[in-house]
Amino acid sequence: MIHSQLISRGITDKFVLDAMDKVPRHLFVPLDLQEEAYDDRALPIGENQTISQPYMVALMTELLSLNNNCTVLEIGTGSGYQAAILAHIAFKVYTIERIPTLLQEAEKRFIDLRYNNIFTKLGDGSKGWGEGLLFDRIIITAATPSVPQVIINQLADPGIIVAPVGERYSQSLVIITKDTKKYGNTLNTQYQTPCIFVPLIGKYGWSD
Ligand code: SAM
């Protein structure tokens, strides 16, 4: 997976490659799909949701430009795999999921694999985490029509958001940088690549 799917497609960040090498992806998929866990595709995880393709996980993580001081918010815990990758590199990871059974399974994995820098919450992540916290990095792992202002307000300065933005069934990966010293009060927005994610369902996402 590391060479044939990631390095060959241009992933170079050694922290990302190391995390992708270490996190046991087969423990984040249903038992009957464990043999396919390292295939070059997204897989179903129940509740009509998916664990993203390994390359997409690596690309989004690389685009966050993480370091070990970063506090990260992930919206869309799903299986917990992306959160585990983030937790290998960042200081703290907060992750929010709207489907209780998926969150419970992910929490069990975090305990079994002894991740002690991942904090979880059940709720509508289209509103962000709340509680007045600010995050150095925010990753949205479900498709959103736009990045809600309430989430932008929870981004530190400087800070980076990576999210699939667009229509319900096709999006572009967008990188939003908040850095008032560099860009003033304007957010720097870059479009990376086309992608397809399951929808962000919630107050500032799509309706159920
Ligand atoms: N990051 C996940 C992983 O590593 O397995 C994959 C995420 S999956 C593509 C998208 C997830 O976003 C689903 O689990 C879905 O239930 C969740 N989701 C959708 N809308 C949400 C919302 N408003 N708040 C929190 N989670 C949401």
Side-chain angles (χ1 to χ4, degrees), residues 25 28 42-43 45-52 57 74-84 95-99 102-103 109 121-128 139-143 196-206:
R25 183 172 163 94
F28 291 81
L43 291 171
I45 54 170
E47 307 281 359
N48 287 325
Q49 304 303 321
T50 52
I51 176 173
S52 302
V57 174
E74 180 198 24
I75 298 167
T77 314
S79 67
Y81 179 67
Q82 173 75 73
T95 182
I96 182 165
E97 170 60 52
R98 66 181 280 273
I99 300 179
L102 293 181
L103 189 67
R109 292 178 181 121
K121 186 175 188 171
L122 182 68
D124 178 6
S126 77
K127 298 188 273 191
I139 177 171
I140 307 178
T141 63
I196 301 176
F197 277 76
V198 295
L200 182 78
I201 307 285
K203 182 168 182 190
Y204 299 110
W206 303 96

Side-chain angles (χ1 to χ4, degrees), residues 60-133:
M60 291 177 86
T61 310
E62 184 166 83
L63 292 173
L64 286 171
S65 304
L66 290 176
N67 61 59
N68 59 9
N69 290 319
C70 285
T71 296
V72 186
L73 170 63
E74 180 198 24
I75 298 167
T77 314
S79 67
Y81 179 67
Q82 173 75 73
I85 295 289
L86 297 169
H88 265 267
I89 308 170
F91 175 48
K92 284 182 186 172
V93 177
Y94 290 75
T95 182
I96 182 165
E97 170 60 52
R98 66 181 280 273
I99 300 179
T101 49
L102 293 181
L103 189 67
Q104 284 157 15
E105 286 165 24
E107 284 170 337
K108 186 171 182 315
R109 292 178 181 121
F110 298 150
I111 291 168
D112 290 348
L113 295 168
R114 300 204 170 90
Y115 286 101
N116 54 16
N117 60 342
I118 302 179
F119 305 89
T120 60
K121 186 175 188 171
L122 182 68
D124 178 6
S126 77
K127 298 188 273 191
W129 186 270
E131 302 176 25
L133 293 186

